[in-house]
Amino acid sequence: MGLYREVFATQRKLSRDIPDQLPHIEGGQVSLRIEQGKLLVEPDELKVDLAVLKRIMRELVGVMEKKSDKPMEEMETFVAEELEDEKKLSGTVDAFLERDEEEFSRLVGGYSLDPELLYMLLHISLAPFMWKNASALVRKADLDQVPQGKCPVCGDLPIMGFLRPEDGLRVLECSLCGSRWGFPRIMCPFCKTVEQGDLKYIFADGDDSRRVYLCDKCKKYIKISTPMGEKDDEFVLPLEDLATAHLDLAAEERGYERGCRTVFS
Ligand SMILES: [Zn+2]
Ligand SMILES: [Zn+2]
């Protein structure tokens, strides 16, 4: 959790270095894209300034090194040498954003960092670019228009969700860009089944404000919490995700798989 807080503070600080951009689509296009199931920010529409990205990656590596008790020689090599190859970096970023897993693994294999670590580093370093790009569009958009299992803004999977206290709407939050959107309570976000017989939830230690929804159709699960007293914009889901790691274990023990790849846990 300490690592998460420091990463988040660093992301916030560095996002100020990312130049402001005019939205790449106009008002009418925003709802049209949502209706058609297209993303508000398609992978090729995200402008990533490599000089700024390298700066963000360097600082975040510094944060991770500080928090790690193991010596991290690969990190040093990565930052000092490998990060300088902008052509390779740019290809890796494109493969990440396009979710081209084959190309991504091929390129990541050419770095000395552990692939999981590099994935996490790219994820947390690209997120500020996505925030910057998405925020202007999200204000104009009705993201609840069509039930979407993936983020209507960037296409990433939800990290988890919460029940909005004022109206009971189930709100999911994107693991990459942090956008939030409403999603039906009785539907699996991953396979969209509404078969009641396939959907159930479990909770631990009598605390039913934190639940795991299990789907027997696709065998995936999503965690949904109810904020206790906090306003929903103060409810930090990546922290709630870490605080509910015991629920991930409970779901995995029962043979279910997390719908979205984890970044910190
Ligand atoms: Zn997103
Ligand atoms: Zn499902």
Side-chain angles (χ1 to χ4, degrees), residues 18-58:
I18 302 172
D20 278 316
Q21 287 167 23
L22 287 174
H24 56 274
I25 46 173
E26 296 293 322
Q29 279 289 318
V30 173
S31 48
L32 189 66
R33 281 204 186 184
I34 295 175
E35 252 170 59
Q36 293 172 339
K38 278 179 70 185
L39 302 175
L40 295 189
V41 184
E42 292 285 350
D44 60 341
E45 289 171 331
L46 185 70
K47 288 194 190 64
V48 179
D49 180 324
L50 288 182
V52 179
L53 176 67
K54 286 196 293 185
R55 195 151 72 234
I56 296 180
M57 289 176 84
R58 280 205 184 90

Short mmCIF file of all heavy atoms in Angstrom, two decimals, residues 18-58:
data_model
loop_
_atom_site.label_atom_id
_atom_site.label_comp_id
_atom_site.label_asym_id
_atom_site.label_seq_id
_atom_site.Cartn_x
_atom_site.Cartn_y
_atom_site.Cartn_z
N ILE A 18 2.86 16.55 -18.81
CA ILE A 18 2.29 16.11 -20.08
C ILE A 18 1.51 17.28 -20.67
O ILE A 18 0.65 17.85 -20.01
CB ILE A 18 1.36 14.89 -19.87
CG1 ILE A 18 2.15 13.75 -19.23
CG2 ILE A 18 0.74 14.44 -21.18
CD1 ILE A 18 1.30 12.58 -18.81
N PRO A 19 1.85 17.66 -21.91
CA PRO A 19 1.19 18.83 -22.48
C PRO A 19 -0.32 18.62 -22.60
O PRO A 19 -0.77 17.51 -22.89
CB PRO A 19 1.82 18.97 -23.87
CG PRO A 19 2.85 17.90 -24.00
CD PRO A 19 2.81 17.03 -22.80
N ASP A 20 -1.09 19.69 -22.36
CA ASP A 20 -2.54 19.61 -22.55
C ASP A 20 -2.85 19.39 -24.02
O ASP A 20 -2.14 19.88 -24.88
CB ASP A 20 -3.19 20.93 -22.11
CG ASP A 20 -3.38 20.95 -20.61
OD1 ASP A 20 -3.83 19.93 -20.07
OD2 ASP A 20 -3.07 21.99 -19.98
N GLN A 21 -3.92 18.64 -24.27
CA GLN A 21 -4.28 18.39 -25.66
C GLN A 21 -5.73 18.72 -25.87
O GLN A 21 -6.55 18.50 -24.98
CB GLN A 21 -4.09 16.91 -25.99
CG GLN A 21 -2.66 16.49 -26.11
CD GLN A 21 -2.54 14.98 -26.12
OE1 GLN A 21 -3.48 14.28 -26.45
NE2 GLN A 21 -1.39 14.49 -25.73
N LEU A 22 -6.02 19.21 -27.05
CA LEU A 22 -7.43 19.42 -27.36
C LEU A 22 -8.05 18.05 -27.58
O LEU A 22 -7.40 17.15 -28.11
CB LEU A 22 -7.56 20.24 -28.65
CG LEU A 22 -7.21 21.72 -28.48
CD1 LEU A 22 -7.23 22.40 -29.85
CD2 LEU A 22 -8.21 22.41 -27.55
N PRO A 23 -9.31 17.86 -27.18
CA PRO A 23 -9.93 16.56 -27.42
C PRO A 23 -9.87 16.21 -28.91
O PRO A 23 -10.05 17.11 -29.74
CB PRO A 23 -11.38 16.76 -26.97
CG PRO A 23 -11.40 18.01 -26.17
CD PRO A 23 -10.21 18.83 -26.56
N HIS A 24 -9.60 14.96 -29.22
CA HIS A 24 -9.47 14.58 -30.63
C HIS A 24 -10.81 14.29 -31.29
O HIS A 24 -10.88 14.03 -32.46
CB HIS A 24 -8.51 13.39 -30.76
CG HIS A 24 -8.96 12.22 -29.93
ND1 HIS A 24 -8.61 12.12 -28.60
CD2 HIS A 24 -9.76 11.18 -30.19
CE1 HIS A 24 -9.16 11.03 -28.11
NE2 HIS A 24 -9.87 10.44 -29.04
N ILE A 25 -11.90 14.27 -30.49
CA ILE A 25 -13.23 14.13 -31.11
C ILE A 25 -14.19 15.16 -30.53
O ILE A 25 -14.03 15.61 -29.40
CB ILE A 25 -13.83 12.70 -30.96
CG1 ILE A 25 -13.69 12.19 -29.53
CG2 ILE A 25 -13.22 11.73 -31.95
CD1 ILE A 25 -14.39 10.88 -29.28
N GLU A 26 -15.20 15.49 -31.32
CA GLU A 26 -16.16 16.51 -30.94
C GLU A 26 -17.33 15.90 -30.17
O GLU A 26 -17.54 14.69 -30.20
CB GLU A 26 -16.73 17.18 -32.20
CG GLU A 26 -15.70 17.94 -33.02
CD GLU A 26 -15.18 19.17 -32.28
OE1 GLU A 26 -15.98 19.82 -31.60
OE2 GLU A 26 -13.96 19.44 -32.36
N GLY A 27 -18.13 16.77 -29.53
CA GLY A 27 -19.26 16.36 -28.71
C GLY A 27 -20.14 15.25 -29.26
O GLY A 27 -20.34 14.23 -28.62
N GLY A 28 -20.66 15.44 -30.50
CA GLY A 28 -21.59 14.46 -31.08
C GLY A 28 -20.92 13.11 -31.28
O GLY A 28 -21.54 12.05 -31.11
N GLN A 29 -19.64 13.15 -31.61
CA GLN A 29 -18.87 11.92 -31.84
C GLN A 29 -18.74 11.09 -30.56
O GLN A 29 -18.65 9.87 -30.61
CB GLN A 29 -17.46 12.29 -32.30
CG GLN A 29 -17.34 12.63 -33.76
CD GLN A 29 -17.50 11.38 -34.61
OE1 GLN A 29 -16.96 10.33 -34.29
NE2 GLN A 29 -18.29 11.48 -35.67
N VAL A 30 -18.75 11.80 -29.42
CA VAL A 30 -18.54 11.11 -28.15
C VAL A 30 -19.65 10.09 -27.91
O VAL A 30 -19.38 8.90 -27.70
CB VAL A 30 -18.44 12.13 -26.98
CG1 VAL A 30 -18.39 11.43 -25.64
CG2 VAL A 30 -17.22 13.03 -27.15
N SER A 31 -20.91 10.54 -28.01
CA SER A 31 -21.98 9.57 -27.73
C SER A 31 -22.14 8.57 -28.87
O SER A 31 -22.52 7.42 -28.64
CB SER A 31 -23.30 10.26 -27.39
OG SER A 31 -23.58 11.25 -28.32
N LEU A 32 -21.83 9.00 -30.10
CA LEU A 32 -21.91 8.06 -31.22
C LEU A 32 -20.94 6.89 -31.01
O LEU A 32 -21.28 5.72 -31.19
CB LEU A 32 -21.59 8.79 -32.53
CG LEU A 32 -21.85 7.99 -33.80
CD1 LEU A 32 -23.34 7.71 -33.96
CD2 LEU A 32 -21.32 8.71 -35.04
N ARG A 33 -19.73 7.23 -30.60
CA ARG A 33 -18.73 6.17 -30.37
C ARG A 33 -19.21 5.21 -29.28
O ARG A 33 -19.05 4.00 -29.41
CB ARG A 33 -17.40 6.77 -29.95
CG ARG A 33 -16.63 7.32 -31.12
CD ARG A 33 -15.16 7.33 -30.77
NE ARG A 33 -14.40 7.97 -31.82
CZ ARG A 33 -13.08 8.06 -31.82
NH1 ARG A 33 -12.38 7.57 -30.82
NH2 ARG A 33 -12.43 8.64 -32.81
N ILE A 34 -19.79 5.77 -28.22
CA ILE A 34 -20.24 4.90 -27.13
C ILE A 34 -21.36 3.99 -27.62
O ILE A 34 -21.35 2.79 -27.37
CB ILE A 34 -20.67 5.72 -25.91
CG1 ILE A 34 -19.45 6.45 -25.34
CG2 ILE A 34 -21.29 4.85 -24.83
CD1 ILE A 34 -19.75 7.40 -24.22
N GLU A 35 -22.30 4.58 -28.39
CA GLU A 35 -23.39 3.78 -28.94
C GLU A 35 -22.87 2.64 -29.81
O GLU A 35 -23.39 1.54 -29.79
CB GLU A 35 -24.26 4.66 -29.85
CG GLU A 35 -25.61 5.02 -29.29
CD GLU A 35 -26.24 6.09 -30.17
OE1 GLU A 35 -26.43 5.84 -31.37
OE2 GLU A 35 -26.51 7.19 -29.62
N GLN A 36 -21.83 2.95 -30.59
CA GLN A 36 -21.30 1.94 -31.51
C GLN A 36 -20.31 1.00 -30.83
O GLN A 36 -19.76 0.12 -31.48
CB GLN A 36 -20.58 2.63 -32.68
CG GLN A 36 -21.54 3.41 -33.57
CD GLN A 36 -20.79 4.25 -34.60
OE1 GLN A 36 -19.61 4.56 -34.42
NE2 GLN A 36 -21.47 4.60 -35.67
N GLY A 37 -20.08 1.21 -29.55
CA GLY A 37 -19.13 0.35 -28.83
C GLY A 37 -17.69 0.64 -29.19
O GLY A 37 -16.80 -0.19 -28.97
N LYS A 38 -17.44 1.82 -29.77
CA LYS A 38 -16.04 2.19 -30.07
C LYS A 38 -15.45 2.94 -28.87
O LYS A 38 -16.17 3.55 -28.09
CB LYS A 38 -15.98 3.10 -31.30
CG LYS A 38 -16.04 2.32 -32.61
CD LYS A 38 -16.00 3.25 -33.81
CE LYS A 38 -14.63 3.91 -34.00
NZ LYS A 38 -14.66 4.90 -35.12
N LEU A 39 -14.13 2.89 -28.75
CA LEU A 39 -13.48 3.54 -27.62
C LEU A 39 -13.38 5.05 -27.84
O LEU A 39 -13.26 5.51 -28.97
CB LEU A 39 -12.06 2.99 -27.44
CG LEU A 39 -11.95 1.49 -27.22
CD1 LEU A 39 -10.49 1.07 -27.19
CD2 LEU A 39 -12.65 1.09 -25.93
N LEU A 40 -13.43 5.80 -26.76
CA LEU A 40 -13.25 7.25 -26.88
C LEU A 40 -11.80 7.59 -27.20
O LEU A 40 -11.52 8.57 -27.88
CB LEU A 40 -13.67 7.97 -25.59
CG LEU A 40 -15.15 7.88 -25.23
CD1 LEU A 40 -15.46 8.82 -24.06
CD2 LEU A 40 -16.04 8.21 -26.41
N VAL A 41 -10.89 6.79 -26.69
CA VAL A 41 -9.47 6.96 -27.04
C VAL A 41 -8.98 5.65 -27.64
O VAL A 41 -8.68 4.69 -26.93
CB VAL A 41 -8.62 7.32 -25.80
CG1 VAL A 41 -7.18 7.58 -26.22
CG2 VAL A 41 -9.17 8.54 -25.07
N GLU A 42 -8.96 5.58 -28.98
CA GLU A 42 -8.43 4.39 -29.64
C GLU A 42 -6.90 4.41 -29.47
O GLU A 42 -6.31 5.49 -29.34
CB GLU A 42 -8.80 4.42 -31.13
CG GLU A 42 -10.30 4.26 -31.42
CD GLU A 42 -10.82 2.84 -31.25
OE1 GLU A 42 -10.00 1.91 -31.09
OE2 GLU A 42 -12.06 2.66 -31.27
N PRO A 43 -6.27 3.19 -29.48
CA PRO A 43 -4.83 3.15 -29.20
C PRO A 43 -4.00 4.13 -30.03
O PRO A 43 -3.07 4.75 -29.52
CB PRO A 43 -4.45 1.71 -29.55
CG PRO A 43 -5.70 0.94 -29.39
CD PRO A 43 -6.84 1.87 -29.69
N ASP A 44 -4.35 4.30 -31.31
CA ASP A 44 -3.52 5.19 -32.14
C ASP A 44 -3.84 6.66 -31.91
O ASP A 44 -3.21 7.54 -32.49
CB ASP A 44 -3.65 4.82 -33.61
CG ASP A 44 -5.09 4.94 -34.10
OD1 ASP A 44 -6.01 4.95 -33.24
OD2 ASP A 44 -5.31 5.03 -35.33
N GLU A 45 -4.83 6.95 -31.07
CA GLU A 45 -5.18 8.35 -30.81
C GLU A 45 -4.47 8.91 -29.57
O GLU A 45 -4.53 10.09 -29.31
CB GLU A 45 -6.69 8.49 -30.62
CG GLU A 45 -7.43 8.32 -31.94
CD GLU A 45 -8.95 8.25 -31.76
OE1 GLU A 45 -9.41 7.81 -30.69
OE2 GLU A 45 -9.66 8.63 -32.69
N LEU A 46 -3.87 8.03 -28.81
CA LEU A 46 -3.18 8.50 -27.60
C LEU A 46 -1.79 9.01 -28.00
O LEU A 46 -0.98 8.26 -28.54
CB LEU A 46 -3.05 7.36 -26.59
CG LEU A 46 -2.45 7.80 -25.25
CD1 LEU A 46 -3.43 8.66 -24.48
CD2 LEU A 46 -2.07 6.59 -24.41
N LYS A 47 -1.56 10.28 -27.74
CA LYS A 47 -0.25 10.85 -28.08
C LYS A 47 0.68 10.69 -26.88
O LYS A 47 0.40 11.20 -25.80
CB LYS A 47 -0.38 12.32 -28.43
CG LYS A 47 -1.04 12.50 -29.77
CD LYS A 47 -0.86 13.93 -30.27
CE LYS A 47 -1.73 14.18 -31.48
NZ LYS A 47 -3.18 14.10 -31.15
N VAL A 48 1.74 9.92 -27.09
CA VAL A 48 2.69 9.70 -26.00
C VAL A 48 4.02 10.36 -26.37
O VAL A 48 4.67 9.96 -27.33
CB VAL A 48 2.90 8.19 -25.74
CG1 VAL A 48 3.92 7.98 -24.63
CG2 VAL A 48 1.59 7.52 -25.39
N ASP A 49 4.37 11.39 -25.63
CA ASP A 49 5.64 12.06 -25.84
C ASP A 49 6.72 11.20 -25.16
O ASP A 49 6.73 11.05 -23.94
CB ASP A 49 5.55 13.46 -25.19
CG ASP A 49 6.83 14.25 -25.35
OD1 ASP A 49 7.93 13.64 -25.30
OD2 ASP A 49 6.74 15.48 -25.50
N LEU A 50 7.61 10.63 -26.00
CA LEU A 50 8.56 9.66 -25.45
C LEU A 50 9.52 10.28 -24.43
O LEU A 50 9.91 9.60 -23.47
CB LEU A 50 9.36 9.00 -26.57
CG LEU A 50 8.57 8.01 -27.45
CD1 LEU A 50 9.50 7.39 -28.49
CD2 LEU A 50 7.92 6.90 -26.63
N ALA A 51 9.87 11.55 -24.62
CA ALA A 51 10.78 12.18 -23.65
C ALA A 51 10.10 12.24 -22.28
O ALA A 51 10.72 11.93 -21.26
CB ALA A 51 11.17 13.57 -24.14
N VAL A 52 8.82 12.62 -22.28
CA VAL A 52 8.10 12.69 -21.00
C VAL A 52 7.90 11.28 -20.43
O VAL A 52 8.07 11.05 -19.23
CB VAL A 52 6.72 13.40 -21.18
CG1 VAL A 52 5.96 13.45 -19.87
CG2 VAL A 52 6.90 14.80 -21.74
N LEU A 53 7.58 10.34 -21.32
CA LEU A 53 7.38 8.96 -20.85
C LEU A 53 8.65 8.43 -20.18
O LEU A 53 8.60 7.82 -19.11
CB LEU A 53 6.97 8.04 -22.01
CG LEU A 53 6.83 6.57 -21.64
CD1 LEU A 53 5.65 6.35 -20.69
CD2 LEU A 53 6.67 5.67 -22.87
N LYS A 54 9.79 8.69 -20.80
CA LYS A 54 11.05 8.19 -20.22
C LYS A 54 11.28 8.80 -18.83
O LYS A 54 11.73 8.13 -17.92
CB LYS A 54 12.23 8.52 -21.15
CG LYS A 54 12.25 7.62 -22.38
CD LYS A 54 13.59 7.65 -23.09
CE LYS A 54 13.87 8.98 -23.71
NZ LYS A 54 15.10 9.01 -24.51
N ARG A 55 10.94 10.10 -18.73
CA ARG A 55 11.12 10.76 -17.44
C ARG A 55 10.22 10.11 -16.37
O ARG A 55 10.64 9.84 -15.25
CB ARG A 55 10.80 12.25 -17.58
CG ARG A 55 11.29 13.07 -16.43
CD ARG A 55 11.61 14.49 -16.87
NE ARG A 55 10.42 15.27 -17.16
CZ ARG A 55 10.19 15.94 -18.30
NH1 ARG A 55 11.06 15.90 -19.29
NH2 ARG A 55 9.10 16.62 -18.47
N ILE A 56 8.98 9.85 -16.77
CA ILE A 56 8.04 9.21 -15.83
C ILE A 56 8.54 7.82 -15.44
O ILE A 56 8.55 7.44 -14.27
CB ILE A 56 6.62 9.13 -16.45
CG1 ILE A 56 6.07 10.56 -16.68
CG2 ILE A 56 5.67 8.32 -15.57
CD1 ILE A 56 4.69 10.60 -17.28
N MET A 57 8.99 7.05 -16.44
CA MET A 57 9.46 5.69 -16.15
C MET A 57 10.66 5.72 -15.21
O MET A 57 10.74 4.93 -14.27
CB MET A 57 9.79 4.94 -17.45
CG MET A 57 8.53 4.59 -18.25
SD MET A 57 8.88 3.79 -19.84
CE MET A 57 9.06 2.08 -19.35
N ARG A 58 11.58 6.65 -15.47
CA ARG A 58 12.76 6.75 -14.59
C ARG A 58 12.36 7.04 -13.15
O ARG A 58 12.86 6.40 -12.23
CB ARG A 58 13.67 7.88 -15.06
CG ARG A 58 14.51 7.48 -16.21
CD ARG A 58 15.79 8.30 -16.30
NE ARG A 58 16.45 7.85 -17.51
CZ ARG A 58 16.26 8.39 -18.71
NH1 ARG A 58 15.49 9.44 -18.84
NH2 ARG A 58 16.85 7.88 -19.77
#
